[in-house]
Amino acid sequence: MQEVNPKETTRAYAYKMWMKAPMPMVTLIKTLDVTRLRRISRKRGLKFNMLMCWCIGRAATQVKELYMLPVGDKLIRYDSIAVNTIVANSQGEVSSCDIPFSEDFSRFNENYLRLTRKVSDTCENHDITDSMVIGTSALAQYDIDGAVGMYSGVFNNPFMIWGAYRRRWFKTTLTISFQFHHTQMDGAHAARFLGKLQDAINSF
């Protein structure tokens, strides 16, 4: 990771316009076809949430804007991507767990299981500070259509939320919300990322 001069990047105008905005976050909502992931999850005994996280990381590596993030008043470029998941811990609360993305699915799955288990047992967050982290929160027991207004004013990381998937005959869908800082990307970049997420799911 390294600080970059915004004027030397494609985000120069966005940096000027949105870094000081009181509410710089934008949210897109999209319904994904996750039929393939649900089938793979059931047949192979793999966690659906883990499969989603891998596909998110896979899609993110194909969008260059997701390697840059406004941090404080600086623009930082990262060399790697991580995906965060919220974990129910042993005290009945929730903790945060960052998982480094790997193109090697088996390695990612091993890291996901190992790190989420550790976070659950210790109730201590696992943070990766040298990767661009995409946050996720799966409210899998609830039927929701999306979530907005998650901006804390501290973390500018992109964030995805989803609830329970919906099964209909031969198709399973999942509605997700994707929040991002406008300095990091424009709506078109975000929409392209969500399209690549669907591609990653389809081609898993």
Side-chain angles (χ1 to χ4, degrees):
M1 55 180 289
Q2 61 177 345
E3 181 182 355
V4 295
N5 182 348
K7 295 181 180 179
E8 298 175 355
T9 74
T10 57
R11 305 308 298 157
Y13 179 76
Y15 181 90
K16 178 181 178 181
M17 291 296 296
W18 295 102
M19 277 301 290
K20 301 300 183 181
M23 181 54 194
M25 310 303 284
V26 181
T27 300
L28 298 187
I29 296 176
K30 182 178 178 65
T31 298
L32 301 169
D33 181 345
V34 294
T35 307
R36 187 170 181 82
L37 288 194
R38 178 172 170 262
R39 288 175 180 169
I40 291 171
S41 175
R42 295 177 66 190
K43 288 182 178 180
R44 299 189 185 180
L46 298 169
K47 291 182 178 294
F48 179 85
N49 189 66
M50 180 277 298
L51 293 169
M52 275 293 296
C53 287
W54 187 85
C55 289
I56 289 167
R58 178 72 181 89
T61 62
Q62 302 174 60
V63 179
K64 65 181 178 62
E65 286 76 16
L66 278 166
Y67 282 91
M68 283 194 292
L69 184 71
V71 178
D73 60 353
K74 300 176 181 178
L75 191 61
I76 304 297
R77 178 181 287 121
Y78 294 87
D79 295 325
S80 58
I81 298 284
V83 182
N84 170 275
T85 187
I86 301 300
V87 179
N89 63 39
S90 58
Q91 294 182 356
E93 303 296 336
V94 294
S95 298
S96 174
C97 182
D98 294 346
I99 299 126
F101 175 73
S102 172
E103 292 280 356
D104 184 334
F105 172 75
S106 295
R107 178 180 296 177
F108 181 84
N109 184 38
E110 290 172 2
N111 284 333
Y112 180 97
L113 296 175
R114 176 178 57 83
L115 293 172
T116 54
R117 187 181 304 115
K118 178 181 178 182
V119 167
S120 177
D121 291 343
T122 63
C123 303
E124 295 180 359
N125 295 339
H126 179 263
D127 298 322
I128 298 176
T129 58
D130 59 353
S131 292
M132 208 297 298
V133 180
I134 301 175
T136 74
S137 180
L139 304 171
Q141 296 178 325
Y142 305 98
D143 184 16
I144 62 172
D145 291 324
V148 296
M150 292 293 297
Y151 181 51
S152 67
V154 178
F155 300 106
N156 294 328
N157 301 64
F159 198 84
M160 302 186 73
I161 298 178
W162 60 86
Y165 52 64
R166 296 166 179 171
R167 293 176 285 180
R168 295 184 181 88
W169 294 101
F170 302 107
K171 187 176 183 179
T172 303
T173 60
L174 181 70
T175 300
I176 60 96
S177 63
F178 176 56
Q179 179 182 264
F180 58 94
H181 197 292
H182 213 330
T183 297
Q184 183 179 32
M185 64 177 68
D186 298 325
H189 302 127
R192 185 163 69 247
F193 163 67
L194 295 178
K196 290 185 178 298
L197 173 55
Q198 183 66 74
D199 292 341
I201 292 170
N202 292 344
S203 62
F204 185 87

